[in-house]
Amino acid sequence: MAKQKYQVTNWPAYNESLRQRGDLTIWVKDEALSLWTARRRTSRGGQPKYSDLAITLCLTL
């Protein structure tokens, strides 16, 4: 099968389509967003920013 050749005539639209090619939109419920930040640590050490739920979600995606 031969490759087809395309002549780009609208470079701004072509560049924008390349930028949007890898976009992924995710809707998260408000209940999940309320659990997004981590609880404050009671022991010594740095404070975590994200909860285990947030980290697990990002790793799953």
Side-chain angles (χ1 to χ4, degrees):
M1 185 158 92
K3 275 189 164 182
Q4 293 181 351
K5 294 182 181 180
Y6 295 99
Q7 183 70 31
V8 177
T9 57
N10 187 349
W11 283 101
Y14 175 73
N15 287 335
E16 184 60 27
S17 70
L18 289 178
R19 272 193 286 287
Q20 291 181 359
R21 182 182 286 183
D23 284 355
L24 175 66
T25 303
I26 299 172
W27 287 273
V28 180
K29 289 186 176 186
D30 291 333
E31 295 85 18
L33 284 178
S34 66
L35 301 172
W36 197 260
T37 56
R39 292 183 178 183
R40 290 203 48 90
R41 187 183 295 217
T42 56
S43 61
R44 292 179 53 157
Q47 297 298 324
K49 291 186 179 190
Y50 304 106
S51 67
D52 291 340
L53 172 77
I55 294 169
T56 304
L57 175 69
C58 291
L59 290 174
T60 301
L61 293 175

